[in-house]
Amino acid sequence: METVVSGIRPTGMLHIGNYFGAVRNFIQLQESYPCYFFIADFHSLTTHPTPANLHSSVKRVLAEYLAVGLNPEKATLYLQSDVPEVAELYLYFNMNAYLGELERVSSFKEKARSQPDNINAGLLTYPVLMAADILLHKGTRVPVGKDQEQHLEMARTFGNRFNRLYQAEVFPEPQAFSETAELVKVPGLTGAGKMSKSAGEADCIYLAEPADSLHKKIMRAKTDSGPAEPGSKPSEAVQNLFDLMKLVCSADVCTFYHVAYQEGTIRYGDMKKQLAEDMELFIAPWREKISAILANDNLLAKTASLGAEKARASAAATLAEVRHLIGFRKFY
Ligand code: ADP
Ligand code: TRP
């Protein structure tokens, strides 16, 4: 029996990298499997958002989940902080998570570099909490982008270690999942690496991006001085634009620009204009839906409370089993 679990940290608005890497799969999977999709607000404390921002970011992600088609009747949509059982499972996993293996995780090394004044223990044990998120519901499939592969490996390690230690088959082995053949990596607009909020505003196309800033951002995206010679390979920045086109443009349009590149007749300005138009068609329907849902406090409250109730029921069942295996017994 497959169970799907995934989450996203609330760090502001969702971008199309989050959509194609993760959320698009959520929408498909909710039709066929029990699904738990949450907002990882505990995880966001590893980078210390202010209390003033936290709630509005959570609200935004919840509204965006609903706007793109997640259905709270089908999937369980909840806030991580509404399910305190996850913190308990995290504590147990931490007892058997070793400093050496945690220090080797690339997201930890990256964060330690980018926030040298705040290398906190939560950052170090980020993959432990993530394993707890998944294994709390005995998740087997985890729809995430390519950057999360190593975290999934750790989740398998912690689950297997617990099984071995207590000689029980409590936890399955969760696998990263994408409907596409490979895990997705959506490039950003600034020319290097995956689209990411940490690369700055100009790198990201948000699901709720206003039409004028969408156009501006794409027209300003990095390119190069043109094909070096017919048949040469595009630079990373230009390849990124081709990759973005593949997500929202028709096959004919993509082929047209590929051929133009090969023949050395390409005009990057035209290509970007086309990409901006097709991207606008793609995201426009969401923009209004997101703002309508953001104003619907009743719907958001109902969604979060239904989700919390369903998620806690599943979590409580796992924790009862785990506590028994560890050896806790009640005196009363
Ligand atoms: P960001 O890097 O912008 O902070 P997150 O780390 O919060 O994004 O990512 C949330 C989810 O979206 C994860 O499953 C992650 O793998 C996926 N994701 C984020 N950026 C991309 C991207 N550029 N391409 C594919 N998937 C992505
Ligand atoms: N680490 C994920 C990210 O940065 C968010 C996340 C937290 C997650 N817990 C999870 C994803 C459990 C999948 C499953 O995007």
Side-chain angles (χ1 to χ4, degrees), residues 9 15 17-18 21 144-145 147-148 184 186 194-197:
R9 276 174 307 131
H15 54 66
N18 301 135
V144 282
D147 58 304
Q148 298 295 315
V184 173
V186 176
K194 69 156 199 159
M195 180 175 289
S196 174
K197 267 158 282 182

Side-chain angles (χ1 to χ4, degrees), residues 6-11 13-23 26 65 110-111 126 130 142-149 151 183-188 193-199 203-204 206 247:
S6 192
I8 294 188
R9 276 174 307 131
T11 46
M13 302 192 282
L14 295 185
H15 54 66
I16 62 160
N18 301 135
Y19 179 77
F20 286 103
V23 182
F26 299 1
Y65 272 178
E110 227 175 84
K111 277 282 180 330
Y126 185 110
M130 189 162 155
V142 187
V144 282
K146 192 155 178 54
D147 58 304
Q148 298 295 315
E149 240 169 353
H151 289 156
L183 296 185
V184 173
K185 178 180 148 191
V186 176
K194 69 156 199 159
M195 180 175 289
S196 174
K197 267 158 282 182
S198 44
D203 197 52
C204 295
Y206 295 107
L247 301 172

